């Protein structure tokens, strides 16, 4: 068959319990496009893959994986001169954004690099948290390295490789995370101390 251009297209099919979405090896940078490559940047479209109430089951996970280990690279381009977070399409804020009651999903073998905010982010809605998520053998690096002293970029918040919020029953296994966050003295508010490799917010039963 003919492969799709983006991870988002695969997710939006939609994926159902037991499905596997495989990203072919290569570097992915075009995150703000439709399949015909004619879309205009939208400020809310800041991720490689967005999942909202996407559900597998305990016996049939939804799996989103690279073709080979670290062969599919999600490159947010935050190291480019045209990157103004939340304002331009030159860079991307998130690798995977998992929202609301999404459950029984496995994300495996990706490289996530040069995103401006968070590599993998869960953001459920209390009391129905995102749950039973498995993040396996991903490499996440150079996240949140963009230094901003002006503009609309929210430099008061933290940046993380993996950020778990409003979620439970999360497994984080065999991931490599490094070079996360802003450098000391780089931001006018000195909020680099809020940056973390992994951050657990409103969550429980995380291993």
């Amino acid at each position: 068959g003919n492969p799709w251009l983006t991870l988002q297209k695969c997710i939006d099919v939609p994926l159902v319990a037991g499905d596997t979405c495989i990203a072919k090896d290569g570097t992915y940078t075009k995150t703000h496009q439709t399949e015909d490559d004619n879309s205009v940047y939208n400020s809310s479209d800041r991720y490689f893959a967005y999942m909202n109430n996407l559900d597998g089951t305990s016996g049939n996970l939804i799996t989103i994986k690279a073709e080979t280990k670290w062969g599919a690279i999600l490159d947010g381009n935050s190291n480019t001169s045209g990157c103004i977070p939340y304002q331009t399409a030159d860079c991307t804020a998130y690798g995977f954004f998992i929202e609301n009651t999404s459950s029984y999903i496995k994300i495996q073998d990706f490289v996530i690099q040069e995103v401006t905010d968070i590599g993998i982010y869960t953001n459920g809605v209390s009391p129905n948290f995102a749950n039973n998520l498995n993040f396996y053998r991903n490499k996440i690096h150079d996240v949140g390295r963009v230094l901003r002293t002006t503009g609309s970029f929210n430099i008061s918040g933290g940046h993380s490789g993996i950020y778990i919020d409003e979620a439970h029953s999360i497994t984080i296994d065999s991931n490599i995370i490094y070079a996360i966050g802003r450098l000391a003295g780089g931001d006018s508010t000195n909020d680099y101390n809020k940056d973390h490799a992994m951050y657990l917010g409103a969550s429980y039963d995380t291993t």
Side-chain angles (χ1 to χ4, degrees), residues 29-71:
T29 58
K30 300 288 190 179
T31 62
H32 312 290
Q33 296 176 324
T34 58
E35 285 301 295
D36 60 6
D37 202 30
N38 289 322
S39 68
V40 176
Y41 175 68
N42 185 308
S43 61
S44 65
D45 186 12
R46 305 189 300 264
Y47 33 73
F48 284 96
Y50 173 72
M51 287 156 267
N52 182 19
N53 297 325
L54 184 69
D55 297 302
T57 66
S58 59
N60 290 283
L61 300 181
I62 291 173
T63 301
I64 302 169
K65 62 181 292 187
E67 183 178 24
T68 63
K69 179 182 176 183
W70 302 340

Side-chain angles (χ1 to χ4, degrees), residues 7-8 11 28 31-32 45-51 64 73-77 86 91-98 107 110-122 135 138-144 160-163:
L7 277 174
Q8 193 62 53
I11 292 165
Y28 297 81
T31 62
H32 312 290
D45 186 12
R46 305 189 300 264
Y47 33 73
F48 284 96
Y50 173 72
M51 287 156 267
I64 302 169
I73 301 169
L74 309 183
D75 189 337
N77 278 334
Y86 300 111
C91 49
T92 303
Y94 304 98
F96 291 89
F97 192 122
I98 304 169
I107 296 174
F110 286 93
V111 174
I112 304 170
Q113 64 187 35
E114 298 290 351
V115 293
T116 62
D117 278 40
I118 300 169
I120 299 175
Y121 181 38
T122 71
F135 308 136
N138 301 286
K139 182 190 290 187
I140 304 170
H141 67 94
D142 291 283
V143 172
S160 303
I162 297 176
Y163 191 124

